Amino acid sequence: MTIAEKILVVEDNPLNLELLRDILLAEGYDVIEASDGAAGIEIARLERPDLILMDLQLPGIDGFEVTRRIRADARLASIPIIAVTAHAMKGDDERARAAGCAAFVTKPIEVRELVAVVAESLRRRGSLDGGGGSA
Ligand code: MN
């Protein structure tokens, strides 16, 4: 039996959130959601997701800062975070990686690319777990 991996989507735009949810559910993941950065941090602490999709343009605390705060929390530090951004602003990729994102995806969301990046990030996390993650 396989337990579905749990993905937290932090996204303030309802249409993007719906799209990301539909894609991830179709892939068999469990999806939990937050529509701003503060809620994203709180839900990450409560739910310990396997992976986080992080919109960088959020009201209040932006996705870069949310990522830094999650990275700074020892209990959450190993969760891979994939940055999602509306338009490839010059330097966003580097900034996202510097903040602690494992990967970077641009909107408009390309379904196959997103699915591949999510699967790859989960696989890499599993291989770094030292075997403890699948128990
Ligand atoms: Mn946004």
Coordinates of all heavy atoms in Angstrom, one line a residue, residues 29-133:
Y29 N -1.7 12.9 -5.4 CA -1.2 13.5 -4.2 C -2.4 14.0 -3.3 O -3.4 14.3 -3.8 CB -0.3 14.7 -4.5 CG 0.9 14.3 -5.3 CD1 1.1 14.8 -6.6 CD2 1.9 13.5 -4.7 CE1 2.2 14.4 -7.3 CE2 3.1 13.2 -5.5 CZ 3.2 13.6 -6.8 OH 4.3 13.3 -7.5
D30 N -2.1 14.0 -2.0 CA -3.0 14.8 -1.1 C -2.6 16.2 -1.2 O -1.4 16.6 -1.3 CB -2.8 14.3 0.4 CG -3.5 13.0 0.6 OD1 -4.4 12.6 -0.2 OD2 -3.2 12.4 1.6
V31 N -3.6 17.1 -1.2 CA -3.3 18.6 -1.3 C -3.9 19.3 -0.1 O -5.0 19.1 0.2 CB -3.9 19.1 -2.6 CG1 -3.6 20.6 -2.8 CG2 -3.4 18.4 -3.8
I32 N -3.0 20.2 0.5 CA -3.5 21.1 1.5 C -3.1 22.5 1.0 O -2.2 22.6 0.1 CB -2.9 20.8 2.9 CG1 -1.4 20.6 2.8 CG2 -3.5 19.5 3.4 CD1 -0.8 20.4 4.2
E33 N -3.8 23.5 1.5 CA -3.7 24.8 0.8 C -3.5 26.0 1.8 O -4.1 25.9 2.9 CB -4.9 25.1 0.0 CG -5.1 24.0 -1.1 CD -6.5 24.0 -1.7 OE1 -7.3 24.9 -1.3 OE2 -6.8 23.1 -2.4
A34 N -2.8 27.0 1.4 CA -2.8 28.2 2.2 C -2.8 29.4 1.2 O -2.2 29.3 0.1 CB -1.5 28.3 3.0
S35 N -3.5 30.5 1.5 CA -3.6 31.6 0.5 C -2.8 32.8 0.9 O -2.8 33.8 0.2 CB -5.1 32.0 0.4 OG -5.6 32.3 1.6
D36 N -2.0 32.7 2.0 CA -1.0 33.7 2.2 C 0.2 33.1 3.0 O 0.1 31.9 3.4 CB -1.6 34.9 3.0 CG -2.1 34.6 4.4 OD1 -1.3 34.0 5.2 OD2 -3.2 34.9 4.7
G37 N 1.2 33.9 3.1 CA 2.5 33.3 3.7 C 2.4 32.9 5.1 O 2.9 31.9 5.5
A38 N 1.7 33.7 5.9 CA 1.6 33.4 7.4 C 0.9 32.1 7.6 O 1.3 31.2 8.3 CB 0.9 34.6 8.1
A39 N -0.2 31.9 6.8 CA -1.0 30.7 6.9 C -0.1 29.5 6.4 O -0.2 28.4 6.9 CB -2.3 30.8 6.1
G40 N 0.7 29.8 5.4 CA 1.6 28.8 4.8 C 2.5 28.2 5.8 O 2.7 27.0 6.0
I41 N 3.1 29.1 6.6 CA 4.1 28.7 7.6 C 3.4 27.9 8.7 O 3.8 26.8 9.2 CB 4.8 29.9 8.3 CG1 5.7 30.6 7.2 CG2 5.6 29.5 9.5 CD1 6.1 32.0 7.6
E42 N 2.2 28.4 9.1 CA 1.4 27.7 10.2 C 1.0 26.3 9.8 O 1.2 25.4 10.5 CB 0.2 28.6 10.5 CG -0.5 28.1 11.8 CD -1.7 29.0 12.1 OE1 -1.7 30.1 11.7 OE2 -2.6 28.5 12.9
I43 N 0.5 26.2 8.5 CA 0.0 24.9 8.1 C 1.2 24.0 7.9 O 1.1 22.8 8.2 CB -0.8 25.1 6.8 CG1 -2.1 25.8 7.2 CG2 -1.1 23.7 6.1 CD1 -2.9 26.2 6.0
A44 N 2.3 24.5 7.4 CA 3.6 23.6 7.3 C 3.9 23.1 8.6 O 4.3 21.9 8.7 CB 4.7 24.5 6.7
R45 N 3.9 23.9 9.7 CA 4.3 23.4 11.0 C 3.3 22.3 11.5 O 3.7 21.4 12.1 CB 4.3 24.6 12.0 CG 5.6 25.4 11.7 CD 5.7 26.5 12.8 NE 7.0 27.2 12.5 CZ 7.2 28.5 12.6 NH1 6.2 29.3 13.0 NH2 8.3 29.1 12.3
L46 N 2.0 22.6 11.2 CA 1.0 21.6 11.7 C 0.9 20.3 10.9 O 0.8 19.2 11.5 CB -0.4 22.3 11.6 CG -0.7 23.4 12.6 CD1 -2.0 24.1 12.2 CD2 -0.8 22.8 14.0
E47 N 1.1 20.4 9.6 CA 0.9 19.3 8.7 C 2.1 18.6 8.3 O 2.0 17.4 7.7 CB 0.1 19.8 7.5 CG -1.3 20.3 7.8 CD -2.3 19.2 8.0 OE1 -2.1 18.1 7.5 OE2 -3.4 19.5 8.5
R48 N 3.3 19.2 8.4 CA 4.5 18.6 7.9 C 4.4 18.0 6.5 O 4.5 16.8 6.3 CB 5.0 17.5 8.9 CG 5.1 18.0 10.3 CD 6.4 18.7 10.6 NE 6.6 18.9 12.0 CZ 7.2 18.1 12.8 NH1 7.8 17.0 12.3 NH2 7.3 18.4 14.1
P49 N 4.1 18.8 5.5 CA 3.9 18.2 4.1 C 5.2 17.6 3.6 O 6.3 17.9 4.1 CB 3.5 19.4 3.3 CG 4.1 20.6 4.0 CD 4.0 20.3 5.5
D50 N 5.0 16.8 2.6 CA 6.2 16.1 1.9 C 6.9 17.1 1.0 O 8.1 16.9 0.7 CB 5.8 14.9 1.2 CG 5.2 13.8 2.1 OD1 6.1 13.2 2.8 OD2 4.0 13.6 2.2
L51 N 6.1 18.1 0.5 CA 6.7 19.1 -0.5 C 5.8 20.3 -0.4 O 4.6 20.2 -0.1 CB 6.6 18.4 -1.9 CG 7.2 19.3 -3.0 CD1 8.0 18.4 -4.0 CD2 6.1 19.9 -3.8
I52 N 6.4 21.5 -0.7 CA 5.6 22.7 -0.8 C 5.8 23.4 -2.1 O 6.9 23.5 -2.6 CB 6.1 23.7 0.3 CG1 5.9 23.0 1.7 CG2 5.4 25.0 0.3 CD1 6.6 23.8 2.9
L53 N 4.6 23.8 -2.7 CA 4.7 24.6 -3.9 C 4.4 26.1 -3.4 O 3.4 26.4 -2.8 CB 3.6 24.3 -4.9 CG 3.8 23.0 -5.8 CD1 2.6 22.9 -6.7 CD2 5.1 23.1 -6.5
M54 N 5.4 27.0 -3.7 CA 5.4 28.3 -3.1 C 5.3 29.4 -4.2 O 6.2 29.6 -4.9 CB 6.7 28.5 -2.3 CG 6.8 29.8 -1.6 SD 5.7 30.0 -0.2 CE 6.4 28.6 0.8
D55 N 4.1 30.0 -4.2 CA 4.0 31.2 -5.1 C 4.9 32.3 -4.5 O 4.9 32.5 -3.2 CB 2.5 31.7 -5.0 CG 2.3 32.9 -5.8 OD1 3.0 33.2 -6.8 OD2 1.3 33.7 -5.5
L56 N 5.7 32.9 -5.3 CA 6.6 33.9 -4.7 C 5.9 35.3 -4.5 O 6.3 36.1 -3.6 CB 7.8 34.1 -5.7 CG 8.7 32.9 -5.8 CD1 9.8 33.1 -6.8 CD2 9.3 32.5 -4.4
Q57 N 4.9 35.6 -5.3 CA 4.2 36.9 -5.2 C 2.9 36.6 -4.3 O 1.9 36.2 -4.7 CB 3.7 37.4 -6.5 CG 4.9 37.9 -7.4 CD 5.6 36.9 -8.1 OE1 5.1 35.9 -8.5 NE2 6.9 37.1 -8.3
L58 N 3.1 36.9 -3.0 CA 2.0 36.7 -2.0 C 1.8 38.0 -1.3 O 2.7 38.8 -1.1 CB 2.4 35.7 -1.0 CG 2.6 34.2 -1.5 CD1 3.2 33.4 -0.4 CD2 1.2 33.6 -1.8
P59 N 0.6 38.3 -0.9 CA 0.3 39.5 -0.1 C 1.0 39.3 1.3 O 1.1 38.2 1.8 CB -1.2 39.5 0.0 CG -1.6 38.1 -0.2 CD -0.6 37.5 -1.1
G60 N 1.4 40.4 1.9 CA 2.1 40.3 3.2 C 3.5 39.7 3.1 O 4.3 40.3 2.4
I61 N 3.7 38.6 3.7 CA 5.1 38.0 3.7 C 5.2 37.3 2.3 O 4.4 36.5 2.0 CB 5.2 36.9 4.7 CG1 4.7 37.4 6.1 CG2 6.7 36.5 4.8 CD1 4.5 36.3 7.1
D62 N 6.2 37.7 1.5 CA 6.3 37.1 0.2 C 6.9 35.7 0.2 O 7.4 35.3 1.3 CB 7.0 38.0 -0.8 CG 8.5 38.1 -0.6 OD1 9.1 37.3 0.1 OD2 9.1 39.1 -1.1
G63 N 6.8 35.0 -0.9 CA 7.3 33.6 -0.9 C 8.7 33.4 -0.6 O 9.1 32.4 -0.1
F64 N 9.6 34.4 -1.0 CA 11.0 34.3 -0.6 C 11.2 34.2 0.9 O 11.9 33.4 1.4 CB 11.8 35.5 -1.1 CG 11.8 35.7 -2.6 CD1 10.9 36.6 -3.2 CD2 12.6 34.9 -3.4 CE1 10.9 36.7 -4.6 CE2 12.6 35.0 -4.8 CZ 11.7 35.9 -5.4
E65 N 10.5 35.2 1.6 CA 10.6 35.2 3.1 C 9.9 34.0 3.7 O 10.5 33.5 4.7 CB 10.0 36.5 3.6 CG 10.1 36.7 5.1 CD 11.5 36.7 5.6 OE1 12.5 37.0 4.8 OE2 11.7 36.4 6.8
V66 N 8.8 33.6 3.2 CA 8.2 32.4 3.7 C 9.1 31.2 3.6 O 9.3 30.4 4.6 CB 6.8 32.1 3.0 CG1 6.2 30.8 3.5 CG2 5.8 33.2 3.2
T67 N 9.8 31.1 2.5 CA 10.7 30.0 2.3 C 11.9 30.1 3.3 O 12.2 29.1 3.9 CB 11.3 30.1 0.8 OG1 10.2 29.9 -0.1 CG2 12.3 29.0 0.6
R68 N 12.4 31.3 3.5 CA 13.5 31.4 4.4 C 13.1 31.0 5.8 O 13.8 30.3 6.6 CB 14.0 32.9 4.5 CG 15.0 33.2 3.3 CD 15.6 34.6 3.5 NE 14.7 35.6 3.2 CZ 14.5 36.2 2.0 NH1 15.2 35.8 1.0 NH2 13.7 37.2 1.8
R69 N 11.8 31.4 6.2 CA 11.4 31.1 7.6 C 11.1 29.6 7.7 O 11.4 29.0 8.8 CB 10.1 31.8 7.9 CG 10.3 33.3 8.0 CD 9.1 34.0 8.5 NE 9.3 35.5 8.3 CZ 8.4 36.4 8.7 NH1 7.3 36.0 9.3 NH2 8.6 37.7 8.6
I70 N 10.6 28.9 6.7 CA 10.5 27.5 6.7 C 11.8 26.8 6.8 O 12.0 25.8 7.6 CB 9.6 27.0 5.5 CG1 8.2 27.4 5.7 CG2 9.7 25.5 5.4 CD1 7.3 27.2 4.5
R71 N 12.8 27.3 6.0 CA 14.1 26.7 6.0 C 14.8 26.8 7.4 O 15.6 26.0 7.8 CB 15.0 27.4 5.0 CG 14.8 26.9 3.6 CD 15.5 25.6 3.4 NE 14.9 24.8 2.3 CZ 13.8 24.0 2.5 NH1 13.3 23.8 3.6 NH2 13.3 23.4 1.5
A72 N 14.4 27.9 8.1 CA 15.1 28.2 9.4 C 14.5 27.3 10.5 O 15.0 27.3 11.6 CB 14.9 29.7 9.7
D73 N 13.4 26.6 10.2 CA 12.7 25.8 11.2 C 13.3 24.4 11.1 O 13.0 23.7 10.1 CB 11.2 25.8 11.0 CG 10.4 25.1 12.1 OD1 10.9 24.1 12.6 OD2 9.3 25.5 12.4
A74 N 14.0 23.9 12.1 CA 14.7 22.6 12.0 C 13.7 21.5 11.6 O 14.1 20.5 10.9 CB 15.4 22.3 13.3
R75 N 12.5 21.6 12.1 CA 11.5 20.5 11.8 C 11.0 20.5 10.4 O 10.5 19.5 9.9 CB 10.3 20.6 12.8 CG 10.7 20.4 14.3 CD 9.6 20.9 15.2 NE 9.3 22.3 14.8 CZ 8.2 23.0 15.2 NH1 7.3 22.4 15.8 NH2 8.1 24.2 14.8
L76 N 11.2 21.6 9.7 CA 10.7 21.7 8.4 C 11.8 21.8 7.3 O 11.5 21.9 6.1 CB 9.8 23.0 8.3 CG 8.7 23.1 9.3 CD1 7.9 24.4 9.1 CD2 7.7 21.9 9.2
A77 N 13.0 21.9 7.8 CA 14.1 22.3 6.9 C 14.3 21.4 5.7 O 14.9 21.7 4.7 CB 15.4 22.5 7.7
S78 N 13.9 20.1 5.9 CA 14.2 19.1 4.9 C 13.1 19.0 3.8 O 13.2 18.3 2.8 CB 14.4 17.7 5.5 OG 13.2 17.2 6.0
I79 N 12.0 19.8 4.0 CA 10.9 19.7 3.1 C 11.3 20.5 1.8 O 11.6 21.6 1.9 CB 9.6 20.3 3.6 CG1 9.2 19.6 4.9 CG2 8.5 20.3 2.6 CD1 8.0 20.3 5.7
P80 N 11.2 19.8 0.6 CA 11.6 20.5 -0.6 C 10.5 21.6 -0.9 O 9.3 21.3 -0.8 CB 11.6 19.5 -1.7 CG 11.0 18.2 -1.1 CD 10.9 18.4 0.4
I81 N 11.0 22.8 -1.3 CA 10.1 23.8 -1.7 C 10.3 24.2 -3.2 O 11.4 24.4 -3.6 CB 10.3 25.1 -0.9 CG1 10.1 24.8 0.6 CG2 9.4 26.3 -1.3 CD1 10.4 25.9 1.6
I82 N 9.2 24.2 -4.0 CA 9.3 24.5 -5.4 C 8.7 25.9 -5.5 O 7.5 26.1 -5.2 CB 8.5 23.5 -6.3 CG1 9.2 22.1 -6.1 CG2 8.6 24.0 -7.7 CD1 8.4 21.0 -6.9
A83 N 9.5 26.9 -6.0 CA 9.0 28.2 -6.2 C 8.1 28.3 -7.5 O 8.5 27.6 -8.5 CB 10.2 29.2 -6.4
V84 N 7.0 29.0 -7.4 CA 6.2 29.2 -8.6 C 6.0 30.7 -8.8 O 5.7 31.5 -7.8 CB 4.8 28.6 -8.4 CG1 3.9 28.8 -9.6 CG2 4.9 27.1 -8.0
T85 N 6.3 31.2 -10.0 CA 6.3 32.7 -10.2 C 5.5 33.1 -11.4 O 5.6 32.3 -12.4 CB 7.7 33.3 -10.1 OG1 7.5 34.7 -10.1 CG2 8.5 32.9 -11.3
A86 N 4.8 34.2 -11.4 CA 3.9 34.6 -12.5 C 4.6 34.9 -13.7 O 4.2 34.6 -14.8 CB 3.1 35.8 -12.0
H87 N 5.7 35.6 -13.6 CA 6.5 35.9 -14.8 C 7.9 35.9 -14.4 O 8.3 36.3 -13.3 CB 6.1 37.3 -15.3 CG 5.9 38.3 -14.3 ND1 6.9 39.1 -13.7 CD2 4.7 38.7 -13.6 CE1 6.3 39.9 -12.8 NE2 5.0 39.6 -12.7
A88 N 8.7 35.3 -15.3 CA 10.1 35.1 -14.9 C 10.9 36.4 -14.8 O 11.5 36.9 -15.7 CB 10.8 34.2 -16.0
M89 N 10.7 37.0 -13.6 CA 11.4 38.2 -13.3 C 12.9 37.9 -13.3 O 13.3 36.9 -12.8 CB 11.0 38.8 -12.0 CG 9.6 39.0 -11.8 SD 9.1 40.7 -12.0 CE 9.7 41.4 -10.4
K90 N 13.7 38.8 -13.9 CA 15.1 38.5 -14.0 C 15.7 38.4 -12.6 O 15.4 39.3 -11.7 CB 15.8 39.7 -14.7 CG 17.2 39.4 -15.2 CD 17.7 40.5 -16.2 CE 19.2 40.3 -16.4 NZ 19.6 39.0 -16.9
G91 N 16.4 37.3 -12.3 CA 17.0 37.1 -11.0 C 16.1 36.3 -10.0 O 16.6 35.9 -9.0
D92 N 14.8 36.1 -10.4 CA 13.9 35.4 -9.4 C 14.4 34.0 -9.2 O 14.3 33.5 -8.0 CB 12.5 35.4 -10.0 CG 11.6 36.5 -9.4 OD1 12.2 37.4 -8.7 OD2 10.4 36.4 -9.7
D93 N 14.9 33.3 -10.2 CA 15.4 32.0 -10.1 C 16.5 31.9 -9.1 O 16.4 31.1 -8.1 CB 15.8 31.5 -11.5 CG 16.1 30.0 -11.5 OD1 16.3 29.4 -10.4 OD2 16.1 29.4 -12.6
E94 N 17.5 32.8 -9.2 CA 18.6 32.8 -8.3 C 18.2 33.2 -6.9 O 18.6 32.6 -5.9 CB 19.7 33.8 -8.8 CG 20.4 33.4 -10.0 CD 19.6 33.5 -11.3 OE1 18.5 34.2 -11.2 OE2 20.0 33.0 -12.3
R95 N 17.3 34.2 -6.8 CA 16.8 34.6 -5.5 C 16.0 33.5 -4.8 O 16.2 33.3 -3.6 CB 15.8 35.8 -5.6 CG 16.5 37.1 -5.8 CD 15.5 38.3 -5.8 NE 14.8 38.5 -4.5 CZ 13.6 39.0 -4.3 NH1 12.9 39.4 -5.4 NH2 13.1 39.2 -3.1
A96 N 15.2 32.7 -5.6 CA 14.5 31.6 -5.0 C 15.4 30.6 -4.5 O 15.2 30.0 -3.4 CB 13.5 31.1 -6.0
R97 N 16.4 30.2 -5.2 CA 17.4 29.2 -4.8 C 18.1 29.7 -3.6 O 18.4 28.9 -2.7 CB 18.3 28.8 -5.9 CG 17.6 28.0 -7.0 CD 18.4 27.6 -8.2 NE 17.6 27.2 -9.3 CZ 17.1 26.0 -9.4 NH1 17.4 25.1 -8.5 NH2 16.4 25.6 -10.5
A98 N 18.5 31.0 -3.6 CA 19.2 31.5 -2.4 C 18.4 31.5 -1.2 O 18.9 31.3 -0.1 CB 19.7 33.0 -2.7
A99 N 17.0 31.6 -1.3 CA 16.1 31.6 -0.2 C 15.9 30.2 0.3 O 15.4 29.9 1.4 CB 14.8 32.2 -0.6
G100 N 16.3 29.2 -0.5 CA 16.2 27.8 -0.1 C 15.2 26.9 -0.9 O 14.9 25.8 -0.6
C101 N 14.8 27.4 -2.1 CA 13.9 26.6 -3.0 C 14.8 25.6 -3.7 O 15.9 25.9 -4.2 CB 13.2 27.5 -4.0 SG 11.9 28.6 -3.2
A102 N 14.2 24.4 -3.9 CA 14.9 23.3 -4.5 C 14.7 23.4 -6.0 O 15.6 22.9 -6.8 CB 14.4 22.0 -4.0
A103 N 13.6 24.0 -6.5 CA 13.4 24.1 -7.9 C 12.5 25.3 -8.2 O 12.0 25.9 -7.2 CB 12.7 22.8 -8.4
F104 N 12.2 25.6 -9.4 CA 11.6 26.8 -9.9 C 10.7 26.5 -11.1 O 11.2 25.9 -12.1 CB 12.7 27.8 -10.2 CG 12.3 29.2 -10.5 CD1 12.1 30.1 -9.5 CD2 12.1 29.6 -11.8 CE1 11.7 31.4 -9.8 CE2 11.7 30.9 -12.1 CZ 11.5 31.8 -11.1
V105 N 9.5 27.0 -11.0 CA 8.5 26.8 -12.1 C 7.9 28.1 -12.4 O 7.5 28.8 -11.5 CB 7.5 25.7 -11.7 CG1 6.4 25.6 -12.8 CG2 8.1 24.3 -11.6
T106 N 7.7 28.4 -13.7 CA 7.1 29.7 -14.1 C 5.6 29.5 -14.6 O 5.3 28.5 -15.2 CB 7.9 30.4 -15.2 OG1 8.1 29.5 -16.3 CG2 9.2 30.9 -14.7
K107 N 4.8 30.5 -14.3 CA 3.4 30.5 -14.8 C 3.5 31.2 -16.2 O 4.4 32.0 -16.4 CB 2.5 31.3 -13.9 CG 2.4 30.8 -12.5 CD 1.6 31.7 -11.6 CE 1.7 31.3 -10.1 NZ 1.1 32.4 -9.2
P108 N 2.6 30.9 -17.1 CA 1.5 29.9 -16.9 C 2.0 28.5 -16.7 O 3.0 28.1 -17.3 CB 0.7 30.0 -18.2 CG 1.6 30.6 -19.2 CD 2.6 31.5 -18.4
I109 N 1.3 27.8 -15.8 CA 1.8 26.4 -15.4 C 1.7 25.5 -16.6 O 0.7 25.4 -17.3 CB 0.9 25.9 -14.3 CG1 1.1 26.7 -13.0 CG2 1.2 24.4 -14.0 CD1 2.5 26.7 -12.4
E110 N 2.8 24.8 -16.9 CA 2.8 23.8 -17.9 C 2.7 22.5 -17.2 O 3.5 22.1 -16.3 CB 4.1 23.9 -18.7 CG 4.0 23.5 -20.1 CD 4.1 22.0 -20.3 OE1 5.2 21.5 -20.0 OE2 3.1 21.4 -20.7
V111 N 1.6 21.7 -17.4 CA 1.2 20.6 -16.6 C 2.3 19.6 -16.5 O 2.7 19.2 -15.4 CB -0.1 20.0 -17.0 CG1 -0.4 18.7 -16.2 CG2 -1.2 21.0 -17.0
R112 N 2.8 19.2 -17.6 CA 3.8 18.1 -17.6 C 5.1 18.5 -16.9 O 5.7 17.7 -16.2 CB 4.1 17.6 -19.0 CG 3.2 16.4 -19.4 CD 3.5 16.0 -20.8 NE 3.2 17.0 -21.8 CZ 3.3 16.8 -23.1 NH1 3.7 15.7 -23.6 NH2 2.9 17.8 -23.9
E113 N 5.5 19.8 -17.1 CA 6.7 20.3 -16.4 C 6.5 20.3 -14.9 O 7.4 19.8 -14.2 CB 7.0 21.7 -16.9 CG 8.3 22.3 -16.2 CD 8.4 23.8 -16.3 OE1 7.4 24.5 -16.7 OE2 9.5 24.3 -15.9
L114 N 5.3 20.8 -14.5 CA 5.1 20.8 -13.0 C 5.1 19.4 -12.4 O 5.7 19.2 -11.4 CB 3.7 21.5 -12.8 CG 3.4 21.5 -11.3 CD1 4.1 22.6 -10.6 CD2 1.9 21.6 -11.1
V115 N 4.4 18.5 -13.1 CA 4.3 17.1 -12.6 C 5.7 16.5 -12.5 O 6.1 15.8 -11.5 CB 3.4 16.2 -13.5 CG1 3.6 14.8 -13.2 CG2 2.0 16.7 -13.3
A116 N 6.6 16.8 -13.5 CA 7.9 16.2 -13.5 C 8.8 16.8 -12.4 O 9.5 16.1 -11.7 CB 8.6 16.5 -14.9
V117 N 8.7 18.1 -12.2 CA 9.5 18.8 -11.2 C 9.1 18.3 -9.8 O 9.9 18.1 -8.9 CB 9.4 20.3 -11.3 CG1 10.0 21.0 -10.1 CG2 10.0 20.8 -12.6
V118 N 7.8 18.2 -9.6 CA 7.3 17.7 -8.3 C 7.8 16.3 -8.0 O 8.3 16.0 -6.9 CB 5.7 17.7 -8.2 CG1 5.2 16.9 -7.0 CG2 5.2 19.1 -8.1
A119 N 7.7 15.4 -9.0 CA 8.1 14.0 -8.8 C 9.6 13.9 -8.5 O 10.1 13.2 -7.7 CB 7.7 13.2 -10.0
E120 N 10.3 14.7 -9.3 CA 11.8 14.7 -9.1 C 12.2 15.2 -7.8 O 13.1 14.7 -7.1 CB 12.4 15.6 -10.3 CG 13.9 15.9 -10.1 CD 14.8 14.7 -10.2 OE1 14.3 13.7 -10.7 OE2 16.0 14.8 -9.8
S121 N 11.5 16.3 -7.3 CA 11.9 16.8 -6.0 C 11.6 15.8 -4.9 O 12.3 15.7 -3.9 CB 11.2 18.1 -5.8 OG 11.6 19.1 -6.7
L122 N 10.4 15.1 -5.0 CA 10.1 14.1 -4.0 C 11.1 13.0 -4.0 O 11.5 12.4 -3.0 CB 8.7 13.6 -4.2 CG 7.5 14.6 -3.8 CD1 6.2 14.1 -4.4 CD2 7.5 14.8 -2.3
R123 N 11.5 12.6 -5.2 CA 12.4 11.5 -5.3 C 13.7 11.8 -4.7 O 14.3 11.0 -4.0 CB 12.6 11.1 -6.8 CG 13.2 9.8 -7.1 CD 12.9 9.3 -8.5 NE 13.2 10.3 -9.5 CZ 12.3 10.8 -10.4 NH1 11.1 10.3 -10.5 NH2 12.7 11.7 -11.3
R124 N 14.2 13.0 -5.0 CA 15.5 13.4 -4.4 C 15.4 13.5 -2.9 O 16.4 13.1 -2.2 CB 15.9 14.8 -5.0 CG 17.2 14.8 -5.7 CD 17.6 16.2 -6.1 NE 17.2 16.4 -7.5 CZ 17.1 17.7 -8.0 NH1 17.2 18.7 -7.2 NH2 16.8 17.8 -9.2
R125 N 14.3 14.0 -2.4 CA 14.2 14.1 -1.0 C 14.2 12.7 -0.4 O 14.9 12.5 0.6 CB 12.8 14.7 -0.6 CG 12.5 14.9 0.8 CD 11.1 15.1 1.1 NE 10.3 13.9 0.9 CZ 9.6 13.3 1.8 NH1 9.5 13.8 3.0 NH2 8.9 12.2 1.5
G126 N 13.5 11.7 -1.0 CA 13.5 10.4 -0.6 C 14.9 9.8 -0.5 O 15.3 9.1 0.5
S127 N 15.8 10.1 -1.5 CA 17.1 9.5 -1.5 C 18.0 10.2 -0.5 O 19.0 9.6 -0.1 CB 17.7 9.7 -2.9 OG 18.0 11.0 -3.2
L128 N 17.6 11.4 0.0 CA 18.4 12.1 1.0 C 18.0 11.7 2.4 O 18.7 12.0 3.4 CB 18.3 13.6 0.8 CG 18.9 14.2 -0.5 CD1 18.6 15.7 -0.5 CD2 20.4 14.0 -0.6
D129 N 16.8 11.0 2.5 CA 16.3 10.7 3.8 C 17.1 9.6 4.5 O 16.9 9.3 5.7 CB 14.8 10.2 3.6 CG 13.8 11.3 3.9 OD1 14.3 12.4 4.3 OD2 12.6 11.1 3.8
G130 N 17.9 8.9 3.7 CA 18.6 7.7 4.3 C 17.7 6.6 4.6 O 18.0 5.7 5.5
G131 N 16.5 6.5 3.9 CA 15.7 5.3 4.1 C 14.6 5.5 5.2 O 13.7 4.7 5.3
G132 N 14.7 6.5 6.0 CA 13.8 6.6 7.1 C 12.5 7.2 6.7 O 11.5 7.1 7.4
G133 N 12.4 7.8 5.5 CA 11.2 8.5 5.1 C 10.0 7.7 4.7 O 8.9 8.1 4.7

